[in-house]
Amino acid sequence: MGLDPEPAAATRPTGAAIPRPVVYLPLDALAGPVCPRFGGVDESHARLLAESIDALPPIVVQARTYRIIDGMHRLRAVVLAGQFEIAAVLSDEDDDQAYLSAVAANISHGLPLSLADRRAAAARVVARYPEWSDRRVAKAVGLSGKTVGALRRTAAGTEAAVRIGSDGRVRPIDSARGREVARELLSRRPEASLREVASAAGISPATVRDVRDRMNRGDLADDVRPVPDNVRAIKPRTPDEVDCGRLLRNLSHDPSLRYTEVGRTLLRRLLNQPATVTVVEELPPHCLPIVARLTREYASRWADFAEQAERRARVEAA
């Protein structure tokens, strides 16, 4: 028995995802499950499925290994029904992706994974992705964030320095060191903006604000330590350097700009400018040439705009 793809549908709604072709696989070609259950296949559930075998969706199989990502009970139902092949769709996912897909599939439909299965899945995901936040792991395996946190604390392995949440944002696990750096930087340059200090210390602007408020109250006056050598220092502002934050705040409170369409458009464009160039370090290298070309072009346009503004200011002042 070969792989016989089903004919593709004649039409499909515009914008709908293109379905993967369904193939029929011989049962003896299939390997074990990507995500095994501690209790194995539930025979009573498989027998129930066998009674309605014609209505079952195809199973999902990893194309490279023929391991089953989703559908072990449907496979058992086909065996109980005396058939020798099963409808399937093939997935090109690697082992880690296939495992996450298998867990997701088995907590969203069919016979749910047991608590023991989900805890085992959480332990595996934490070991493979130590930088994932507890909530992100919990969402992937169907547990609570507190349960994942408890499992993480009892697991042996390398602890990541940051956590990456479901939103993709990177957050430090322990902000104590960043707070120490922020206190020292604020003691050197009290006038520095929250974002400047936050960028240098690797913490959020809100955390910097809390550190500054505590320093003003004297709560942490005796707890300032030297800044480690590998921490980026904040350059002192020269007398001629523009304080963009202060100037933007002044402009945004000017009624002649706030209450005209041209003024509001200008304010939006000024406020949306990059706050710092330090993000260059975080960009993928292959994007840098294009980013450089675009920013140079935009800088040239702003420079032309600045010259026109200065000329008109001189005319108005004459």
Side-chain angles (χ1 to χ4, degrees):
M1 298 181 182
L3 309 184
D4 301 322
E6 280 190 348
T11 59
R12 63 174 60 93
T14 302
I18 300 175
R20 288 174 290 188
V22 176
V23 298
Y24 287 88
L25 301 177
L27 301 187
D28 57 8
L30 298 172
V34 168
C35 178
R37 297 171 181 261
F38 283 140
V41 173
D42 186 309
E43 287 293 325
S44 61
H45 184 66
R47 284 194 294 271
L48 182 64
L49 294 178
E51 296 176 2
S52 56
I53 194 169
D54 292 337
L56 298 179
I59 65 174
V60 182
V61 176
Q62 188 181 27
R64 181 173 56 85
T65 64
Y66 273 27
R67 295 170 69 199
I68 298 173
I69 295 175
D70 181 32
M72 284 300 296
H73 284 94
R74 278 166 277 168
L75 173 62
R76 180 59 181 162
V78 167
V79 172
L80 292 175
Q83 299 187 16
F84 299 97
E85 62 181 9
I86 188 170
V89 293
L90 300 179
S91 169
D92 292 327
E93 293 174 315
D94 62 26
D95 291 344
D96 291 329
Q97 295 169 334
Y99 185 82
L100 292 173
S101 294
V103 173
N106 284 284
I107 63 176
S108 62
H109 66 80
L111 187 65
L113 292 174
S114 67
L115 177 59
D117 291 327
R118 283 177 280 138
R119 289 173 68 91
R124 175 169 171 173
V125 173
V126 166
R128 177 62 183 84
Y129 301 101
E131 72 279 8
W132 280 19
S133 68
D134 291 345
R135 289 186 178 182
R136 184 171 183 178
V137 176
K139 184 178 180 180
V141 302
L143 290 173
S144 69
K146 290 183 178 180
T147 300
V148 173
L151 289 170
R152 190 192 297 272
R153 288 190 292 272
T154 59
T158 303
E159 181 71 20
V162 297
R163 291 280 188 268
I164 303 177
S166 300
D167 57 2
R169 295 181 62 185
V170 179
R171 300 171 176 86
I173 296 174
D174 183 5
S175 63
R177 180 172 175 274
R179 283 174 172 268
E180 292 175 5
V181 174
R183 285 194 291 273
E184 173 62 16
L185 295 175
L186 287 170
S187 69
R188 293 179 183 177
R189 277 197 56 211
E191 80 285 359
S193 71
L194 297 179
R195 291 190 178 277
E196 285 179 303
V197 178
S199 176
I203 55 179
S204 69
T207 303
V208 176
R209 180 184 291 108
D210 180 66
V211 171
R212 185 184 63 187
D213 292 344
R214 288 172 178 268
M215 290 177 65
N216 291 338
R217 295 195 302 266
D219 291 353
L220 301 174
D222 298 328
D223 193 22
V224 176
R225 303 180 187 179
V227 178
D229 293 337
N230 61 344
V231 173
R232 182 174 62 252
I234 300 176
K235 294 185 298 183
R237 180 176 290 132
T238 63
D240 294 333
E241 188 175 349
V242 176
D243 185 345
C244 295
R246 179 178 60 82
L247 294 178
L248 281 173
R249 285 193 296 272
N250 292 343
L251 277 180
S252 64
H253 291 127
D254 188 329
S256 62
L257 290 176
R258 291 178 61 187
Y259 299 114
T260 64
E261 183 60 33
V262 171
R264 287 194 296 268
T265 300
L266 176 63
L267 287 173
R268 282 195 296 269
R269 291 181 178 178
L270 289 172
L271 290 169
N272 286 334
Q273 296 305 302
T276 175
V277 297
T278 56
V279 293
V280 169
E281 301 170 1
E282 304 170 12
L283 295 175
H286 69 274
C287 295
L288 294 177
I290 298 177
V291 171
R293 290 179 60 187
L294 283 172
T295 51
R296 285 184 187 280
E297 175 62 25
Y298 293 152
S300 175
R301 296 179 186 180
W302 278 111
D304 291 342
F305 180 85
E307 290 180 5
Q308 294 177 38
E310 289 171 345
R311 282 199 300 269
R312 184 180 170 195
R314 288 194 295 266
V315 170
E316 295 291 337

